[in-house]
């Protein structure tokens, strides 16, 4: 991939800044929230009923796929989404922690020079077919605003970690909403994918350089932990 890695202000100042899909989305939704929560650590994102439910669903799915543990009765209606995953050919991984450096080479999730982090909910590596499958479980009530970019980032990270994989088929499984959003990426897409994410990460570097973190108002302001913001509530 012939892409120059982005200049990283944190790296230059010996401070490690690790990006992720969720951190990029948080910054783009509201730079001030990103700064107050992730950098200054003045506020914490509290658990909600929805996030606790999502965590419980993810754990139940992982136990089912890895160990064959039956789903709890309250999640039994989701079995039709999970059974096919457990039967996929290849080496199956759940919640595998992956990282990449700013030069797009693979590294450990907690390495000091990690640039982007990702944790696929489900991943299957079929070396014979040079194919990987990745899935992310969603417990939201609607798939209307599904964001496929999460899958493209995971696909790129998988191909960096597994050079024997040339194609990644992905799916966002909206198990509550009853919808599946599918994607497919190949090595031919890697340069474009990393270029896009380098640009998105670069916006955070610029905000850090200028120390400008303007708030961005929206319908989720009432749930924001940054209570000192004028838009809160």
């Amino acid at each position: 991939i012939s892409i120059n890695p982005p200049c990283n202000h944190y790296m230059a100042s010996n401070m490690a800044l690790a990006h992720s899909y969720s951190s990029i989305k948080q910054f783009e939704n509201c730079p001030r929230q990103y700064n107050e929560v992730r950098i200054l650590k003045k506020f914490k994102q509290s658990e909600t009923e929805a996030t606790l439910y999502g965590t419980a669903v993810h754990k139940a799915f992982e136990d089912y796929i890895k160990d064959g543990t039956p789903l709890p009765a309250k999640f039994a209606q989701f079995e039709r989404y999970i059974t096919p995953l457990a039967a996929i050919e290849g080496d199956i991984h759940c919640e595998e922690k992956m990282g990449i450096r700013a030069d797009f080479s693979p590294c450990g999730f907690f390495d000091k020079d990690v640039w982007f982090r990702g944790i696929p909910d489900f991943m299957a590596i079929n070396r014979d077919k040079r194919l990987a499958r990745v899935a992310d479980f969603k417990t939201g009530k609607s798939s209307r605003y599904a964001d496929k970019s999460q899958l493209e980032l995971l696909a790129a990270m998988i191909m960096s970690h597994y050079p024997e994989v040339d194609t990644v088929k992905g799916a966002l499984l909206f198990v509550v909403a009853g919808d599946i959003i599918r994607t497919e990426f190949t090595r031919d897409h890697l340069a474009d994918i990393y270029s896009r994410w380098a640009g998105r990460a670069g916006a955070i570097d610029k905000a850090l350089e200028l120390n400008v973190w303007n708030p961005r108002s929206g319908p989720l302001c009432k749930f924001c932990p940054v209570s000192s913001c004028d838009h809160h509530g």
Side-chain angles (χ1 to χ4, degrees), residues 75-88:
F75 301 143
Q77 70 271 26
F78 302 144
E79 189 169 347
R80 63 192 178 99
Y81 294 101
I82 305 306
T83 300
L85 295 182
I88 289 178

Side-chain angles (χ1 to χ4, degrees), residues 205-216:
D205 294 332
K206 192 64 177 180
L208 177 67
E209 178 185 345
L210 301 175
N211 195 29
V212 174
W213 309 93
N214 293 323
R216 199 167 287 157

Side-chain angles (χ1 to χ4, degrees), residues 69-133:
T69 304
L71 291 178
K74 59 183 177 180
F75 301 143
Q77 70 271 26
F78 302 144
E79 189 169 347
R80 63 192 178 99
Y81 294 101
I82 305 306
T83 300
L85 295 182
I88 289 178
E89 294 181 354
D91 297 329
I92 292 178
H93 308 262
C94 291
E95 305 291 336
E96 178 167 319
K97 295 180 172 64
M98 299 189 299
I100 55 170
R101 303 181 181 91
D103 63 358
F104 315 119
S105 61
C107 68
F109 190 84
F110 296 108
D111 286 0
K112 291 183 179 180
D113 57 348
V114 63
W115 179 53
F116 262 95
R117 288 173 173 155
I119 307 177
D121 291 340
F122 169 89
M123 178 174 65
I125 307 296
N126 189 321
R127 291 174 172 81
D128 292 337
K129 296 182 178 180
R130 305 189 67 83
L131 171 69
R133 295 182 183 273

Side-chain angles (χ1 to χ4, degrees), residues 14 26 53 88 117 120 129 156 158-159 162 164 173-174 183 191 208:
N14 295 319
Q26 184 180 35
Y53 180 80
I88 289 178
R117 288 173 173 155
K129 296 182 178 180
I158 290 170
M159 284 186 275
Y162 294 91
E164 63 272 32
L173 300 181
F174 285 84
T183 60
L208 177 67

